[in-house]
Amino acid sequence: MTSHVCPSLFSGAERVLRGRVLSFHADPRLAGAEHSYRYIEDGLVVIAQGRIVAVGEAHALLRHVGAHVPVDDHTGRLILPGFVDTHIHYPQTRVIASYGEQLLEWLQKYTFVEEQKLRQQGHAEHVARFFFDELLRQGTTTAVVYCSVHPQSVDAFFAESERRGTRMIAGKVMMDRNAPEGLLDTAESGYSESRALLQAWHGRGRQLYAITPRFAITSTPEQLEAAGTLAREFPDAYVQTHLGENRAEIALVKQLFPQAASYADVYARHGLLGPKSILGHCIYLEDSELELLAESESIAAFCPTSNLFLGSGLFDMRRLQQHAKPVRVGIATDVGGGTSYSMLQTANEAYKVLQLQGQQWPALQAFYMMTHGNAAVLGLQDRIGSLAQGFEADIAVLDPRATPAMAHRMECIEDNLAEELFLLMTLGDDRCVAETYVAGRPSKPRKPEAVLRKAASQLLADMP
Ligand code: GUN
Ligand code: ZN
């Protein structure tokens, strides 16, 4: 692939990354590990205009890159596609780590209280800035995001995403019952506000819209119908909601929708299942629900840290993936029910959830899912999630020796990629992320601006 490179190909090169390049192009479980990825020990990623123009051996490519092009030397580090998070709530950055409740009480006691604050002018912008800083610190470059019920929370989110240059999928939460007054829309306003936001943001630059009825409990049948209408009107938009997370939740859904055959059937009846529908959790599914998800090609988002933290239950990956027609599965943080923004830590907890059920989850499988796998379930596998020519240059650079404990452990890992990746997902977090590139630009925030300001003012105050 790299032996007949035309020098002019790189004439517009703006940046080059050098390091250990790892990129998946297939599911190791299906293709076999050795046919699922490409690994280059001394590799080069050449970037122009936000895209990858070449990936290959450094010795073969370097001579085609002009001397003026900056080379970011990541020798010894792993250069991977940026992580993709398939389910997260940006208004919950101050809900994370709230003590002692399970889903329905946790929503009332903590989440709905905090989400109401996004109504205040300026607050959504502030939270959005924090949220993007945090994601990029963790090497996450694309996420599927719930905003709040307030349309301005969506504008604030996408405006910040546009400023950062990230590819994001997000939408206004629709909820017209069973929540505080300050968080309610109506079937009509939920529809018209979502429609206007979708038209404003879906496909604008890198931004994509997700129609977002929160879950069956907080939407009337009329609102779910309106959401389904919107999904039919805009078939290339996403749909996101929650399904089968908690036993009390499921019992309440059955009370609220006595005519539905199951929780998943509530969504099916309103046209909310399909290949672009992302359903958070999917822990408790009846066989008929598995059938509905499989047939509709809907996506189940596995949220391990959240499922453990809220005491929800254990996601049965094997059951979903080994169904006669497999259910498509992605992995996600679900902050603030989830306890970490880090996809590495999310993989760590996923591994343990699967261990408890006697299920294997090798590191290659985990890194596949966090990158190409999550991109593929979102239908974005031709744009993000791999490092190859033509892909958008969203990249995470990981240092497997970032902490003393990791460096110490690495001393007895020699030339074994799977072991190294397993170490990264077990002990790794934002400290391992040496850099995050968004559309080819270094974008890992070094220090929160507020810390820098404080440090600067302290310096001034200390001056004689
Ligand atoms: N179900 C409905 N809303 C939520 C939420 O905000 N977090 C989680 N984990 N589950 C939900
Ligand atoms: Zn959620």
Side-chain angles (χ1 to χ4, degrees):
M1 179 181 170
T2 56
S3 50
H4 304 289
V5 176
C6 164
S8 64
L9 199 69
F10 303 156
S11 58
E14 288 153 8
R15 183 180 296 279
V16 166
L17 316 188
R18 184 173 190 172
R20 302 165 56 218
V21 177
L22 174 63
S23 173
F24 291 86
H25 48 262
D27 185 339
R29 195 172 54 89
L30 305 176
E34 64 279 21
H35 302 298
S36 66
Y37 67 88
R38 183 180 187 202
Y39 173 71
I40 312 168
E41 178 70 23
D42 183 12
L44 218 62
V45 180
V46 185
I47 298 166
Q49 297 187 324
R51 287 182 184 270
I52 295 170
V53 293
V55 177
E57 299 284 350
H59 68 83
L61 291 189
L62 264 177
R63 61 203 156 95
H64 298 289
V65 178
H68 63 284
V69 180
V71 178
D72 291 4
D73 187 358
H74 292 299
T75 302
R77 298 170 177 159
L78 281 168
I79 300 177
L80 294 152
F83 296 127
V84 179
D85 184 344
T86 56
H87 180 125
I88 185 167
H89 300 254
Y90 107 83
Q92 296 179 14
T93 53
R94 299 196 304 193
V95 175
I96 191 170
S98 291
Y99 175 77
E101 303 293 354
Q102 296 212 348
L103 178 64
L104 298 181
E105 297 75 25
W106 172 85
L107 283 170
Q108 296 290 345
K109 185 168 171 182
Y110 300 116
T111 307
F112 290 165
V113 175
E114 194 59 31
E115 289 196 10
Q116 290 185 64
K117 298 178 188 163
L118 271 85
R119 185 160 176 214
Q120 294 158 23
Q121 192 64 34
H123 186 62
E125 286 77 2
H126 169 71
V127 175
R129 278 196 298 277
F130 174 83
F131 182 82
F132 277 88
D133 274 353
E134 192 56 32
L135 256 55
L136 296 175
R137 265 174 10 85
Q138 307 284 356
T140 299
T141 47
T142 290
V144 187
V145 181
Y146 287 65
C147 301
S148 72
V149 72
H150 316 99
Q152 66 268 32
S153 77
V154 183
D155 286 325
F157 179 85
F158 279 128
E160 188 61 23
S161 181
E162 212 166 57
R163 199 171 76 77
R164 309 269 182 154
T166 41
R167 181 172 284 291
M168 288 284 159
I169 301 169
K172 178 198 116 74
V173 160
M174 303 166 79
M175 46 200 295
D176 65 346
R177 65 168 163 176
N178 293 324
E181 191 58 36
L183 281 186
L184 295 182
D185 53 13
T186 65
E188 294 76 33
S189 70
Y191 169 84
S192 57
E193 288 169 354
S194 298
R195 193 176 205 282
L197 289 163
L198 191 159
Q199 288 188 304
W201 290 108
H202 187 62
R204 171 168 153 167
R206 304 189 77 194
Q207 313 314 319
L208 296 165
Y209 196 84
I211 300 158
T212 309
R214 183 177 209 119
F215 66 158
I217 291 173
T218 47
S219 287
T220 58
E222 293 71 35
Q223 180 163 72
L224 293 178
E225 191 57 29
T229 301
L230 206 49
R232 273 189 298 279
E233 287 176 322
F234 298 93
D236 68 332
Y238 293 88
V239 172
Q240 59 178 343
T241 188
H242 296 83
L243 174 68
E245 177 177 5
N246 168 290
R247 292 186 196 280
E249 169 208 22
I250 295 164
L252 185 49
V253 170
K254 289 198 166 157
Q255 264 181 38
L256 292 170
F257 296 88
Q259 65 287 42
S262 64
Y263 192 167
D265 185 46
V266 173
Y267 297 138
R269 282 165 174 245
H270 294 290
L272 291 167
L273 299 183
K276 302 203 90 173
S277 297
I278 306 136
L279 303 153
H281 306 284
C282 298
I283 300 168
Y284 303 105
L285 297 178
E286 296 167 18
D287 287 345
S288 65
E289 295 182 285
L290 215 58
E291 212 63 46
L292 279 176
L293 297 196
E295 284 307 320
S296 62
E297 298 177 19
S298 301
I299 305 150
F302 175 19
C303 309
T305 74
S306 171
N307 296 346
L308 294 174
F309 181 74
L310 293 176
S312 301
L314 303 180
F315 180 85
D316 189 345
M317 179 108 85
R318 185 165 54 202
R319 180 168 174 243
L320 270 67
Q321 289 186 330
Q322 294 188 359
H323 185 252
K325 178 163 189 206
V327 175
R328 301 160 74 215
V329 176
I331 186 162
T333 62
D334 190 33
V335 165
T339 51
S340 176
Y341 294 86
S342 165
M343 289 302 290
L344 295 172
Q345 275 310 295
T346 301
N348 178 26
E349 298 302 294
Y351 174 80
K352 296 172 193 167
V353 164
L354 298 172
Q355 270 282 49
L356 280 167
Q357 302 172 93
Q359 299 180 25
Q360 298 291 310
W361 204 49
L364 285 169
Q365 198 64 45
F367 276 78
Y368 160 76
M369 192 176 268
M370 292 188 276
T371 57
H372 181 82
N374 275 355
V377 293
L378 299 172
L380 296 173
Q381 68 280 3
D382 297 332
R383 301 185 189 187
I384 58 168
S386 294
L387 304 179
Q389 191 184 342
F391 276 71
E392 297 168 6
D394 293 343
I395 296 167
V397 182
L398 302 186
D399 178 3
R401 297 178 180 80
T403 70
M406 294 181 76
H408 184 68
R409 177 71 176 89
M410 275 298 284
E411 285 169 10
C412 60
I413 296 179
E414 278 169 25
D415 279 343
N416 189 321
L417 185 62
E419 285 184 17
E420 183 180 345
L421 293 176
F422 191 63
L423 169 63
L424 271 164
M425 69 186 245
T426 306
L427 297 191
D429 53 29
D430 54 304
R431 292 169 296 178
C432 300
V433 180
E435 188 54 272
T436 306
Y437 295 88
V438 173
R441 271 188 292 118
S443 301
K444 182 177 181 184
R446 291 297 149 195
K447 275 220 163 109
E449 275 174 37
V451 174
L452 290 174
R453 268 202 305 279
K454 200 166 166 197
S457 60
Q458 192 63 47
L459 263 178
L460 286 174
D462 289 347
M463 277 166 75

